[in-house]
Amino acid sequence: NGQQLAGWDQLKAAIEKSGGQTLTLTVERNGQTVEVTATPKEQSGQGFLGVGPATAFEDVGVLAAIPQAATTMGNVTQATFDGLKNRISPSGVSETAKQSFTSAAPEAGSTADLNRPQTIIGFVDNGSDIAQGNVWSILWLLAALSLVLALFNLIPLLPLDGGHAVIAVYEGIASKVKHHRVFADYRKALSVSLLLLSPLLFLSLSAMVLDIRN
């Protein structure tokens, strides 16, 4: 209807609000911009139009692939930390508990469902729909999953590798300062880590519950 949309989520929201109403859509076909009309069918109080997002692939050379790979890794890293920051906050923990252990679970496929954390259960369940049988999409998903797991493993808390690295650095510096071998008390460090990891453990459990419910 002449309104510029920034992405798929905005288009989806506009369609859902327009059940039974005629929409004018400006689309690109074969390099030409054309206008078409469509009337979303109303289902359960929301408009539905039989279109969906798809991944466009572009072949690039090795030199062009290197900066694109770095950009992709940066995007996945940023999204991982943004998701953690939002979900571990007090409001995020409250929302997670509400979604996981009450009747307010987000409907499968809804925006709220797509924006919540998923465990390997949800990853396997949705991976086939995302990849759509394309081998490059499957490899991209596996690479992204590996990067996210690596980022989690770098969190400086035991028993993660990041925690072991922090203790090793501490022992090395302390040994040089005191001129004798210094060993950290892993038992004390582990008890502190378990306390700090509690929000992550809760997040993982609640995400697993939602993956099973959906």
Side-chain angles (χ1 to χ4, degrees):
N1 290 343
Q3 179 182 354
Q4 186 80 20
L5 301 179
W8 171 256
D9 287 342
Q10 290 187 15
L11 175 61
K12 183 173 181 290
I15 292 173
E16 289 177 345
K17 292 187 297 185
S18 304
Q21 304 175 25
T22 300
L23 293 176
T24 300
L25 305 172
T26 305
V27 300
E28 182 181 314
R29 288 182 177 170
N30 301 320
Q32 300 294 323
T33 299
V34 298
E35 287 190 351
V36 297
T37 58
T39 303
K41 181 179 180 180
E42 188 169 353
Q43 295 182 349
S44 303
Q46 290 186 326
F48 176 81
L49 192 63
V51 297
T55 302
F57 294 92
E58 178 184 359
D59 290 330
V60 297
V62 174
L63 295 179
I66 293 174
Q68 289 200 22
T71 300
T72 299
M73 291 180 66
N75 292 338
V76 172
T77 300
Q78 183 66 45
T80 300
F81 286 112
D82 286 346
L84 279 176
K85 180 180 64 176
N86 293 335
R87 283 288 171 165
I88 294 180
S89 65
S91 60
V93 171
S94 175
E95 179 67 19
T96 298
K98 181 179 177 182
Q99 289 181 343
S100 303
F101 305 109
T102 71
S103 59
E107 183 180 353
S110 64
T111 300
D113 184 48
L114 295 175
N115 288 335
R116 69 172 179 83
Q118 292 189 2
T119 64
I120 193 67
I121 298 173
F123 181 85
V124 172
D125 186 41
N126 297 324
S128 57
D129 293 332
I130 297 173
Q132 298 179 348
N134 185 284
V135 64
W136 297 112
S137 290
I138 295 173
L139 291 175
W140 188 95
L141 285 172
L142 292 175
L145 177 62
S146 297
L147 177 57
V148 171
L149 292 176
L151 293 172
F152 269 99
N153 201 33
L154 288 176
I155 295 176
L157 295 172
L158 291 174
L160 303 174
D161 285 347
H164 289 286
V166 168
I167 288 182
V169 171
Y170 163 76
E171 290 179 341
I173 295 175
S175 297
K176 289 184 178 180
V177 171
K178 296 186 177 182
H179 304 292
H180 64 82
R181 192 74 174 99
V182 174
F183 295 96
D185 189 340
Y186 271 72
R187 293 172 299 178
K188 293 181 179 179
L190 189 58
S191 61
V192 173
S193 294
L194 289 177
L195 178 63
L196 296 177
L197 283 174
S198 296
L200 283 178
L201 295 175
F202 173 76
L203 182 62
S204 300
L205 174 63
S206 60
M208 187 178 299
V209 169
L210 277 177
D211 285 339
I212 295 173
R213 289 179 66 177
N214 281 346

